Amino acid sequence: MCLDLFRKEIIFHEKVLQRLLRSSLDAIAAERTNTSSSQRASRIQMRNIMRMMVDLDIYESYFEPKFLQESKDFYNGEAMRKLRFISSITFDTIVNYLDFVAEKLKEEELRIVAYGLAMTTTSKKIEKILEKELIEAHLDVLVNNCVELLFGDRKNFRHIKLAYQLFSRLPEAIARMCFCFNAFVKNRGKTLVNLSTSDPEKDKTLIKDLLDFKDTMDVIVRECLGSNQRFANTLKDAFETFVNIRTNKVAELIAKHVDSMLRDAYNLEVSFDQQIDKLLVLFRFIHGKDIFEAFYQRDLSKRLLGGKSASVDAEKLVLMKLKQECGGAFTSKLEAMFKDMELSRELTASFKVHLDKKENASKTYPIDLSVSVLTTGIWPTYLPIELLLGQDLRAYEDVFQEFYLSKHTGRKLTWQHCFGHCLLRAQFGGEGNKVSVVNSVDVLFC
């Protein structure tokens, strides 16, 4: 009876209710704007007022609608003030706005708790108002500029993560962000790939640039976008699109990149396994895998025949990973090339034993000869080069051919001199003043 009389005679008095509502709303507005005035009440006072309104059953009917409407108007104005130069949003505008939205969401959450309204419907309603006025109302501008201005630099990871957390409140915002992310990756990737069209020197660093770009985007998806599968899928789609805009070029450059790694012993010491795994990720995107195979096979033949490979173990590791990736048919010829080299080493050893048994072999055949016998159809094909050999070298060819055909009847040897090389040793000067010179010379110019 006491509460009922207080409600009717005091609160609903013509001079009380509207002043109570107005002064409460003004106190909240003053707190939101950090205004120092007599209108600003303590949170304990506001908590008591809210509790009184709830107990007297006037909170939902009289206070909450006005509170929500004024909150909507306030944050609508704040958003427009922060984004007043919408046509020319800068990096600073975006990061400051994201911090502002996160701060206001936190402030309103704490205010609702401090006022004792956490268990009322107001908590969700005020959250929805902030999402609508601060995010949804400016969604296209925010998402487009966030992706364009933030995603290109690792320094912005904190704000990328914050943007994702804010946009995750709205399903349509995440869909829009995913679309913009796809467009951003495609445009940035096309720029990298097309740069080398006008500047061939860029081809030398294209694979490294693409790997660095992929690393950055992977970290963004994993650490800033919560490993969201939608973003992971759109990243794959974007890479597959721009990697193949220059037909077969990236496939060729990947093969050359692997070749340079396998020739450099330093590369084999610095996380070689991880580097190859990253290259294989890029390899998966290319359509012309047969082009990669052709270039890789040609480069492998040069490494094997010229002794340019820094590590046989590294070569076989790459071969194993390619086999796991593409199957045994893809690497069958490459594996056969290694087998040919092993058989050739055994054959060369047998040939040297055969020469040692000949009379005066050291005088007749003074050159230390090693021959690689390659299976036709397995190795890259090259046009035979007619080379005018010296008498000593020609004698070696004849005696080796005789030795080989005695062991393998019905076979035919075709000499490919363009694959050969030799080591020359010479001494100049008299007996008391000798200078030794050692030089490696391609047989083609010998």
Side-chain angles (χ1 to χ4, degrees):
M1 184 185 295
C2 177
L3 287 174
D4 188 52
L5 286 172
F6 185 81
R7 183 174 184 272
K8 290 178 181 179
E9 303 300 329
I10 305 297
I11 297 300
F12 278 94
H13 189 280
E14 60 181 11
K15 294 184 178 181
V16 176
L17 182 57
Q18 294 306 318
R19 290 172 66 184
L20 173 63
L21 297 176
R22 185 70 265 154
S23 62
S24 299
L25 293 170
D26 287 346
I28 295 173
E31 185 177 315
R32 281 173 171 164
T33 56
N34 292 320
T35 302
S36 297
S37 71
S38 58
Q39 292 179 320
R40 189 170 180 182
S42 72
R43 287 193 165 183
I44 295 176
Q45 287 176 313
M46 293 302 297
R47 185 182 185 92
N48 290 335
I49 291 171
M50 295 300 129
R51 183 183 299 168
M52 180 187 72
M53 289 183 182
V54 172
D55 290 344
L56 296 175
D57 198 24
I58 63 172
Y59 175 81
E60 288 190 12
S61 302
Y62 293 91
F63 178 78
E64 188 184 57
K66 291 180 179 294
F67 173 60
L68 295 177
Q69 183 59 49
E70 293 204 3
S71 297
K72 180 179 179 181
D73 295 341
F74 174 78
Y75 284 111
N76 177 270
E78 285 292 283
M80 294 304 294
R81 183 174 64 82
K82 290 283 184 181
L83 298 173
R84 60 186 179 276
F85 302 115
I86 288 180
S87 60
S88 59
I89 286 183
T90 64
F91 171 82
D92 289 337
T93 308
I94 282 294
V95 297
N96 290 338
Y97 189 78
L98 292 174
D99 289 335
F100 164 76
V101 175
E103 180 185 356
K104 292 307 173 185
L105 283 165
K106 188 66 176 177
E107 282 182 8
E108 289 297 332
E109 180 185 350
L110 294 175
R111 184 175 295 112
I112 291 294
V113 173
Y115 290 178
L117 301 175
M119 301 305 293
T120 66
T121 58
T122 307
S123 178
K124 288 293 181 183
K125 290 176 181 177
I126 198 70
E127 184 179 343
K128 291 295 182 185
I129 286 174
L130 266 71
E131 290 171 357
K132 183 174 179 60
E133 298 303 323
L134 299 182
I135 302 174
E136 186 177 354
H138 309 284
L139 188 59
D140 285 344
V141 171
L142 289 175
V143 174
N144 293 349
N145 284 281
C146 276
V147 173
E148 190 64 32
L149 296 174
L150 300 181
F151 276 61
D153 195 335
R154 288 175 179 252
K155 297 177 182 178
N156 304 327
F157 280 5
R158 184 179 75 83
H159 282 97
I160 295 173
K161 186 174 183 178
L162 178 57
Y164 176 71
Q165 290 170 346
L166 295 176
F167 295 150
S168 294
R169 294 169 172 270
L170 304 169
E172 64 272 23
I174 287 297
R176 178 67 186 170
M177 190 179 188
C178 193
F179 176 81
C180 292
F181 179 62
N182 183 275
F184 169 82
V185 175
K186 284 180 180 177
N187 290 335
R188 186 63 63 91
K190 287 177 181 177
T191 301
L192 289 174
V193 174
N194 286 329
L195 273 178
S196 53
T197 304
S198 55
D199 184 5
E201 286 296 311
K202 292 292 183 180
D203 277 349
K204 296 178 180 179
T205 61
L206 178 58
I207 298 302
K208 182 182 181 303
D209 292 342
L210 289 177
L211 289 174
D212 290 343
F213 182 48
K214 183 65 167 58
D215 278 346
T216 300
M217 294 301 103
D218 284 341
V219 173
I220 286 177
V221 171
R222 184 174 63 253
E223 297 185 7
C224 303
L225 305 179
S227 297
N228 189 311
Q229 195 59 42
R230 291 177 67 177
F231 287 93
N233 292 338
T234 202
L235 179 62
K236 292 178 182 178
D237 172 73
F239 260 81
E240 186 172 354
T241 299
F242 72 73
V243 158
N244 293 288
I245 58 174
R246 288 179 66 193
T247 308
N248 301 329
K249 189 62 180 179
V250 175
E252 174 188 349
L253 293 177
I254 292 175
K256 288 182 177 180
H257 191 80
V258 176
D259 179 58
S260 67
M261 289 173 63
L262 290 169
R263 287 171 179 263
D264 189 345
Y266 174 76
N267 283 327
L268 305 184
E269 298 173 2
V270 186
S271 306
F272 178 75
D273 197 352
Q274 295 178 11
Q275 293 182 63
I276 292 299
D277 286 339
K278 288 181 180 180
L279 276 171
L280 286 177
V281 171
L282 202 58
F283 170 75
R284 293 185 190 113
F285 297 128
I286 63 175
H287 294 160
K289 290 182 172 58
D290 54 334
I291 301 299
F292 169 86
E293 181 190 11
F295 278 101
Y296 186 84
Q297 183 188 33
R298 188 183 67 178
D299 292 335
L300 176 62
S301 71
K302 291 179 180 178
R303 292 195 302 273
L304 293 179
L305 296 174
K308 301 296 184 182
S309 181
S311 167
V312 175
D313 290 338
E315 293 279 5
K316 292 188 175 180
L317 175 65
V318 175
L319 203 61
M320 179 193 73
K321 288 182 178 291
L322 287 173
K323 187 173 184 178
Q324 291 173 346
E325 187 70 28
C326 302
F330 185 83
T331 58
S332 58
K333 287 185 178 181
L334 305 177
E335 291 174 314
M337 290 167 70
F338 280 96
K339 186 176 181 180
D340 278 354
M341 294 303 296
E342 291 173 6
L343 292 175
S344 295
R345 282 191 286 273
E346 295 174 3
L347 184 65
T348 296
S350 298
F351 176 62
K352 289 179 178 179
V353 171
H354 172 72
L355 284 182
D356 289 342
K357 293 179 179 179
K358 287 181 172 288
E359 292 185 19
N360 299 320
S362 59
K363 295 181 179 180
T364 308
Y365 308 105
I367 301 171
D368 185 11
L369 178 71
S370 295
V371 179
S372 298
V373 180
L374 317 178
T375 306
T376 304
I378 298 298
W379 294 71
T381 55
Y382 292 88
L383 292 175
I385 295 177
E386 290 297 328
L387 191 65
L388 183 60
L389 294 179
Q391 184 176 354
D392 290 341
L393 289 175
R394 180 63 67 187
Y396 264 105
E397 277 194 7
D398 293 340
V399 72
F400 179 83
Q401 185 154 327
E402 179 185 348
F403 165 76
Y404 181 81
L405 294 180
S406 68
K407 288 181 169 293
H408 305 281
T409 56
R411 294 189 182 180
K412 180 182 177 183
L413 286 180
T414 301
W415 293 88
Q416 293 282 4
H417 300 110
C418 61
F419 288 131
H421 65 277
C422 66
L423 192 67
L424 299 182
R425 297 178 184 274
Q427 285 187 335
F428 300 92
E431 288 296 326
N433 185 26
K434 289 186 177 180
V435 179
S436 296
V437 177
V438 179
N439 193 18
S440 179
V441 183
D442 193 322
V443 167
L444 183 59
F445 304 109
C446 182

